[in-house]
Every structure is written in C-alpha cells, then in structure tokens.
Amino acid sequence: MDEMLISVIVPIYNAEKYLKICIDSIINQSYYNIQIILVDDGSKDGSEKYCDQLVGQYPNIKVVHKKKCRISYARNTGLEYAQGELITFLDSDDYIEPSMYETMIEALLD
C-alpha cells in the first residue's frame, strides 16, 4: 500500500518570530509523505520572504500569497491547493512533535 499523502495547511500573518520553529517541526517529521501549504495572509514582517526562500529548498512546500483576508479564508485557500488524502491545519505559532503524523497514520490504519 502506498503511503497516504498528508497536506498540512499553515496560514501565516506576521509570524516571523515563530515561523521557523513551526515549519521545521513539519519538515522534520518521521512521516515523510507530506505536502506543506503556506498561505501568507498579507504579512509585512518578513514572513513572506522566509516562506518564498523555503520553496527553493523543499519541493513539497507550496506558498500562496493573499492580501489580508483573515485566517478562515487563508485556510480555505490552502484547501484549494491540498492534494493529500488527509488534511491537517497548523497555526504559524505552533509546533508539533517529530512523530505526530506517523502516530496519527498508525492510529488511523489500526
């Protein structure tokens, strides 16, 4: 059985202070079949530039830039780009444990 693709949608608005920790926690997951969708919601603090830099480093990262439109709209925008069988959301000031998605998939398939 092929591994399921998980799409992780992260709405971002002026989160430069926390963003690296958040994205690193997704990139460093023990489960590797992950699509990361970063929806920049009109940031003006450098978050948008940091996201753009990641695209060249990680082929599984997609960045979408929007004008300030609020978090719900940013999440819905991310859904338009999601290709995974499973979709999760993570706020830009959060981080997750390294085995979170592996544990989630194991529980789902158990």
Side-chain angles (χ1 to χ4, degrees), residues 12 19 22 24 33 39 43 46 50 54-55 59-60 63 68 83 85 89 102 108-110:
I12 298 162
L19 196 52
C22 174
D24 283 351
N33 198 15
V39 183
S43 295
Y50 178 70
L54 293 172
V55 172
N60 61 326
V63 177
K68 181 73 177 124
Q83 297 174 332
E85 291 88 354
F89 298 95
E102 182 177 14
L108 180 68
L109 297 178
D110 194 15

Side-chain angles (χ1 to χ4, degrees), residues 8-73:
V8 182
I9 299 169
V10 183
I12 298 162
Y13 179 72
N14 291 342
E16 184 179 35
K17 182 176 177 182
Y18 311 102
L19 196 52
K20 180 173 178 10
I21 294 168
C22 174
I23 295 172
D24 283 351
S25 77
I26 304 168
I27 290 169
N28 294 317
Q29 286 292 297
S30 57
Y31 189 86
Y32 65 91
N33 198 15
I34 297 175
Q35 172 195 31
I36 303 169
I37 304 165
L38 306 175
V39 183
D40 170 47
D41 193 16
S43 295
K44 295 179 184 347
D45 69 342
S47 297
E48 68 286 3
K49 292 175 187 149
Y50 178 70
C51 292
D52 289 338
Q53 291 172 359
L54 293 172
V55 172
Q57 297 173 338
Y58 300 96
N60 61 326
I61 293 181
K62 167 81 176 157
V63 177
V64 181
H65 295 284
K66 292 286 188 181
K67 290 185 175 182
K68 181 73 177 124
C69 56
R70 305 279 186 234
I71 194 167
S72 296
Y73 185 78

